Amino acid sequence: MNHEADSFWQKVAKGLARRSGYAPLTPEEAQKEFESLPDTKLSEAEIDAIVDRVTSGELAVWTPTPPADDTTDFDREAIEEDVLQLNRNERQADAETDKLLDELRRKALEDGQADGQEDSTGVGGDQEPPEERD
Protein backbone atom coordinates (compact mmCIF):
# COMPACT_ATOMS: atom_id res chain seq x y z
CA MET A 1 0.00 0.00 0.00
CA ASN A 2 1.07 3.54 -0.54
CA HIS A 3 1.44 6.17 2.17
CA GLU A 4 -2.00 7.69 1.57
CA ALA A 5 -3.76 4.35 1.90
CA ASP A 6 -1.79 3.54 5.05
CA SER A 7 -2.66 6.82 6.69
CA PHE A 8 -6.32 6.44 5.67
CA TRP A 9 -6.58 2.99 7.26
CA GLN A 10 -4.73 4.14 10.36
CA LYS A 11 -7.30 6.94 10.80
CA VAL A 12 -10.16 4.47 10.23
CA ALA A 13 -8.69 2.04 12.77
CA LYS A 14 -8.28 4.81 15.36
CA GLY A 15 -11.87 5.93 14.82
CA LEU A 16 -13.22 2.39 15.17
CA ALA A 17 -11.12 1.77 18.27
CA ARG A 18 -12.39 4.98 19.86
CA ARG A 19 -16.06 4.21 19.09
CA SER A 20 -15.74 0.65 20.38
CA GLY A 21 -14.00 1.77 23.59
CA TYR A 22 -10.64 0.14 22.89
CA ALA A 23 -8.64 3.30 22.22
CA PRO A 24 -6.46 4.88 24.89
CA LEU A 25 -7.94 7.88 26.63
CA THR A 26 -7.01 11.34 25.45
CA PRO A 27 -5.25 13.49 28.04
CA GLU A 28 -8.51 15.39 28.60
CA GLU A 29 -10.50 12.16 29.05
CA ALA A 30 -7.86 10.78 31.41
CA GLN A 31 -7.91 13.96 33.50
CA LYS A 32 -11.71 13.88 33.68
CA GLU A 33 -11.63 10.19 34.73
CA PHE A 34 -8.97 10.95 37.35
CA GLU A 35 -10.98 13.82 38.80
CA SER A 36 -14.10 11.64 39.04
CA LEU A 37 -12.34 9.15 41.34
CA PRO A 38 -12.89 9.46 45.09
CA ASP A 39 -10.01 10.81 47.15
CA THR A 40 -8.46 8.19 49.40
CA LYS A 41 -6.05 9.13 52.16
CA LEU A 42 -3.10 7.03 53.23
CA SER A 43 -2.58 6.54 56.93
CA GLU A 44 0.63 7.79 58.55
CA ALA A 45 1.71 4.16 59.00
CA GLU A 46 1.26 3.43 55.28
CA ILE A 47 3.19 6.56 54.32
CA ASP A 48 6.03 5.67 56.72
CA ALA A 49 6.16 2.09 55.40
CA ILE A 50 6.37 3.35 51.79
CA VAL A 51 9.12 5.85 52.65
CA ASP A 52 11.06 3.20 54.58
CA ARG A 53 10.88 0.73 51.67
CA VAL A 54 11.90 3.30 49.09
CA THR A 55 14.80 4.69 51.10
CA SER A 56 16.09 1.27 52.18
CA GLY A 57 17.42 0.52 48.68
CA GLU A 58 16.19 -3.07 48.87
CA LEU A 59 13.74 -4.65 46.49
CA ALA A 60 10.47 -5.56 48.10
CA VAL A 61 9.32 -9.16 47.80
CA TRP A 62 5.57 -9.56 47.83
CA THR A 63 2.92 -11.94 46.61
CA PRO A 64 0.03 -10.36 44.72
CA THR A 65 -3.34 -10.97 46.30
CA PRO A 66 -6.69 -11.03 44.51
CA PRO A 67 -9.05 -8.11 45.04
CA ALA A 68 -11.41 -8.35 48.01
CA ASP A 69 -14.42 -8.63 45.70
CA ASP A 70 -12.94 -11.65 43.88
CA THR A 71 -15.44 -14.34 44.88
CA THR A 72 -14.72 -17.02 42.32
CA ASP A 73 -15.30 -20.51 43.66
CA PHE A 74 -12.81 -22.85 42.03
CA ASP A 75 -9.71 -24.79 42.94
CA ARG A 76 -6.88 -22.31 42.36
CA GLU A 77 -4.17 -24.72 43.43
CA ALA A 78 -5.00 -27.19 40.66
CA ILE A 79 -4.96 -24.41 38.09
CA GLU A 80 -1.68 -23.03 39.42
CA GLU A 81 -0.10 -26.48 39.12
CA ASP A 82 -1.29 -26.84 35.51
CA VAL A 83 -0.02 -23.35 34.66
CA LEU A 84 3.36 -24.12 36.14
CA GLN A 85 3.55 -27.34 34.15
CA LEU A 86 2.40 -25.79 30.88
CA ASN A 87 4.77 -22.85 31.21
CA ARG A 88 7.92 -24.81 31.88
CA ASN A 89 11.21 -24.25 30.07
CA GLU A 90 11.24 -25.53 26.50
CA ARG A 91 13.79 -28.31 26.97
CA GLN A 92 12.63 -29.31 30.45
CA ALA A 93 10.98 -32.71 30.04
CA ASP A 94 8.07 -33.70 32.24
CA ALA A 95 6.16 -36.89 31.50
CA GLU A 96 3.08 -35.79 33.47
CA THR A 97 2.85 -32.51 31.57
CA ASP A 98 3.40 -34.20 28.22
CA LYS A 99 0.59 -36.63 29.06
CA LEU A 100 -1.70 -33.71 30.02
CA LEU A 101 -0.90 -31.87 26.79
CA ASP A 102 -1.53 -34.97 24.70
CA GLU A 103 -4.89 -35.50 26.42
CA LEU A 104 -5.93 -31.88 25.89
CA ARG A 105 -4.90 -32.03 22.21
CA ARG A 106 -6.82 -35.28 21.73
CA LYS A 107 -9.96 -33.80 23.28
CA ALA A 108 -9.68 -30.68 21.15
CA LEU A 109 -9.35 -32.72 17.97
CA GLU A 110 -12.08 -35.25 18.73
CA ASP A 111 -14.89 -35.44 16.19
CA GLY A 112 -18.31 -36.87 16.77
CA GLN A 113 -21.22 -36.27 19.04
CA ALA A 114 -21.69 -36.93 22.73
CA ASP A 115 -22.99 -40.43 21.96
CA GLY A 116 -19.87 -41.17 19.92
CA GLN A 117 -21.75 -41.25 16.62
CA GLU A 118 -21.22 -38.91 13.71
CA ASP A 119 -24.15 -37.67 11.70
CA SER A 120 -24.81 -38.74 8.12
CA THR A 121 -22.55 -36.02 6.69
CA GLY A 122 -19.64 -37.22 8.79
CA VAL A 123 -19.19 -33.73 10.18
CA GLY A 124 -20.94 -34.11 13.53
CA GLY A 125 -23.57 -31.79 14.92
CA ASP A 126 -27.32 -31.73 14.44
CA GLN A 127 -29.05 -34.52 12.57
CA GLU A 128 -31.43 -32.16 10.82
CA PRO A 129 -30.42 -29.02 8.94
CA PRO A 130 -31.70 -25.75 10.36
CA GLU A 131 -35.14 -24.65 9.21
CA GLU A 132 -35.17 -22.02 6.51
CA ARG A 133 -36.93 -18.79 7.40
CA ASP A 134 -38.23 -16.15 5.06
Side-chain angles (χ1 to χ4, degrees):
M1 277 194 237
N2 60 32
H3 179 68
E4 286 181 26
D6 285 341
S7 62
F8 169 77
W9 287 112
Q10 287 174 354
K11 288 179 185 177
V12 169
K14 285 181 184 178
L16 288 173
R18 178 149 315 280
R19 282 189 221 135
S20 63
Y22 293 110
L25 299 175
T26 64
E28 295 81 20
E29 292 170 333
Q31 184 66 31
K32 185 178 177 183
E33 183 70 24
F34 173 74
E35 290 171 356
S36 72
L37 296 173
D39 288 338
T40 57
K41 303 286 184 191
L42 293 176
S43 69
E44 286 296 320
E46 290 173 316
I47 293 172
D48 291 341
I50 292 170
V51 170
D52 289 343
R53 272 192 228 134
V54 170
T55 57
S56 72
E58 296 178 15
L59 295 176
V61 178
W62 59 279
T63 303
T65 56
D69 62 345
D70 185 15
T71 59
T72 53
D73 296 327
F74 57 86
D75 184 12
R76 284 189 173 89
E77 290 182 17
I79 293 173
E80 288 172 2
E81 182 66 27
D82 287 344
V83 169
L84 288 174
Q85 290 176 358
L86 295 174
N87 292 311
R88 69 186 193 277
N89 291 331
E90 185 176 346
R91 293 187 184 102
Q92 186 179 9
D94 181 4
E96 183 181 345
T97 302
D98 292 337
K99 182 180 175 184
L100 174 64
L101 285 171
D102 290 340
E103 180 183 337
L104 293 173
R105 286 184 185 119
R106 183 184 50 77
K107 284 181 182 179
L109 295 174
E110 278 182 355
D111 288 333
Q113 298 179 9
D115 62 2
Q117 302 294 318
E118 290 184 345
D119 66 12
S120 59
T121 64
V123 181
D126 295 334
Q127 293 292 329
E128 300 295 324
E131 294 179 13
E132 292 185 26
R133 294 186 178 174
D134 294 326

